[in-house]
Amino acid sequence: MEKSSYANLSASSIANNGPISILSYCASSILMTVTNKYVLSGYSFNLNFFLLAVQSIVCIACIGSLKAFGVITYRQFNSDEAKKWSPIAFLLAAMIYTGSKALQFLSIPVYTIFKNLTIILIAYGEVIWFGGKVTSMALGSFLLMVFSSLIAYYGDSQDPSAVDNYEVYLGYIWMLTNCFASASFVLIMRKRIKLTNFKDFDTMYYNNLLSIPILLISSFIFEDWSAINVEKNFPADNRTATVMAMIFSGLSSVGISYCSAWCVRVTSSTTYSMVGALNKLPIALSGLIFFDAAINFWSVSSIFVGFIAGLVYTVAKQRQAKENSQQLPTSK
């Protein structure tokens, strides 16, 4: 009995542990980014909505199987809750789709750096919605992040291997759209989690389940399902590898889906987003190793400036937490 109680206490402490949730989100984010880049770039894949629908279907199948075997649990489907959660599903679909489109035209290092501009939007969104506070040091880390992005943009525009400038600019447009979609998704999801008291698997279940019809309908309406394009996306010589890559990307989406909900719940929305800054070096290295991303002074400088921005933000949050603890009123 004591062992069982200790195990439950240990599992509960891990489930509410901020640093562990952040590390888990880092690992799953790196895996998901590299996997998506492999699928989207490796075989000229352009059925983005369909890929995202497959990821959500695989995710639902995985957690459904785990629930059937008693490994995990989550609340049953409720139409009223689904109706209230549906705007979040739309924003999730928009966030992931615009992100996948940006990845199609931008290198992994540049994509990752610009993704972190979302932090500024989320930080000030938290001030408005949750009564948060942006300290001068936190603001300094945001400005460093903007500077990092400007360096990345300059380096990318100077890259002689960028054959089609139109595609690069198109990538930046998708990236800007993704920043606003991501900020809206994270902030509204956090607000809804607080109102509904959703657990991590509840959030994961509703996010993916409600996204499937949105993504499939969008795929059939906006994407080219002609025989020629299907053959282009699933060529005979690489068909098995492409399908396996899609399934693997679905499995990796299980990790990012759970860890995102976990990290938002136990930390703040801004911290969840700022974690992306600490992903910068390993994700950039994966881009250099696996996808031949351009290496120049500007791209390397932008990565390290962004990494410093992440460290400055971490120090700022620690100081803010210390100040808050010292200002707590004492009972007489």
Side-chain angles (χ1 to χ4, degrees):
M1 186 70 180
E2 288 182 1
K3 287 184 178 180
S4 176
S5 299
Y6 178 78
N8 290 334
L9 182 62
S10 178
S12 177
S13 62
I14 291 174
N16 292 288
N17 189 291
I20 293 178
S21 73
I22 288 171
L23 289 173
S24 300
Y25 172 67
C26 281
S28 60
S29 176
I30 293 168
L31 177 63
M32 190 68 183
T33 302
V34 174
T35 304
N36 276 349
K37 184 66 177 176
Y38 175 77
V39 176
L40 293 168
S41 301
Y43 304 108
S44 301
F45 198 88
N46 58 34
L47 298 175
N48 300 60
F49 277 125
F50 181 68
L51 170 64
L52 299 174
V54 169
Q55 290 177 348
S56 291
I57 291 169
V58 171
C59 189
I60 288 295
C62 284
I63 64 173
S65 300
L66 291 172
K67 184 180 181 181
F69 285 106
V71 178
I72 64 172
T73 184
Y74 50 84
R75 62 181 72 188
Q76 293 295 321
F77 180 81
N78 180 285
S79 57
D80 186 53
E81 287 180 341
K83 192 182 297 182
K84 292 176 181 177
W85 199 267
S86 56
I88 299 172
F90 274 104
L91 286 170
L92 175 63
M95 179 187 74
I96 303 176
Y97 179 70
T98 53
S100 66
K101 291 297 289 184
L103 261 179
Q104 208 170 337
F105 300 113
L106 300 176
S107 65
I108 285 184
V110 173
Y111 166 83
T112 309
I113 290 162
F114 272 86
K115 180 76 173 172
N116 287 304
L117 290 176
T118 310
I119 299 162
I120 301 173
L121 297 175
I122 292 176
Y124 284 97
E126 283 201 319
V127 171
I128 297 169
W129 280 15
F130 302 105
K133 181 184 176 183
V134 178
T135 63
S136 57
M137 183 175 281
L139 181 61
S141 72
F142 298 155
L143 293 176
L144 278 174
M145 192 65 68
V146 173
F147 182 55
S148 168
S149 300
L150 291 174
I151 295 173
Y153 172 80
Y154 182 79
D156 208 36
S157 64
Q158 299 298 308
D159 180 13
S161 66
V163 182
D164 192 345
N165 283 330
Y166 169 76
E167 288 196 352
V168 174
Y169 290 126
L170 190 61
Y172 288 126
I173 292 171
W174 281 116
M175 194 72 252
L176 182 64
T177 308
N178 177 257
C179 286
F180 282 99
S182 300
S184 302
F185 167 73
V186 173
L187 289 167
I188 294 174
M189 182 173 71
R190 188 184 175 204
K191 194 172 185 68
R192 180 54 55 186
I193 287 173
K194 283 183 172 292
L195 291 173
T196 58
N197 197 29
F198 266 29
K199 304 301 181 186
D200 300 329
F201 283 111
D202 298 328
T203 303
M204 185 178 177
Y205 173 65
Y206 274 94
N207 274 346
N208 285 280
L209 184 66
L210 297 177
S211 296
I212 293 171
I214 297 170
L215 294 169
L216 287 177
I217 292 170
S218 299
S219 177
F220 289 121
I221 292 176
F222 298 111
E223 294 179 334
D224 183 5
W225 280 92
S226 64
I228 295 173
N229 195 54
V230 171
E231 178 63 29
K232 178 184 176 182
N233 282 272
F234 300 96
D237 55 337
N238 283 321
R239 189 165 298 156
T240 302
T242 304
V243 172
M244 292 303 294
M246 290 176 68
I247 293 172
F248 182 74
S249 72
L251 293 173
S252 65
S253 75
V254 176
I256 189 68
S257 186
Y258 175 78
C259 292
S260 295
W262 181 16
C263 195
V264 169
R265 179 179 61 81
V266 300
T267 66
S268 70
S269 306
T270 309
T271 298
Y272 159 78
S273 189
M274 196 64 179
V275 167
L278 301 178
N279 285 351
K280 198 172 278 57
L281 287 178
I283 289 180
L285 287 174
S286 70
L288 300 177
I289 295 169
F290 297 112
F291 301 108
D292 298 322
I295 307 174
N296 55 50
F297 171 78
W298 301 107
S299 63
V300 173
S301 298
S302 66
I303 290 168
F304 279 100
V305 171
F307 184 69
I308 290 169
L311 295 179
V312 171
Y313 177 78
T314 303
V315 174
K317 290 298 287 185
Q318 288 176 340
R319 286 189 178 182
Q320 189 175 348
K322 188 176 181 180
E323 288 175 5
N324 290 341
S325 65
Q326 289 174 348
Q327 292 172 2
L328 285 175
T330 56
S331 57
K332 293 181 179 180

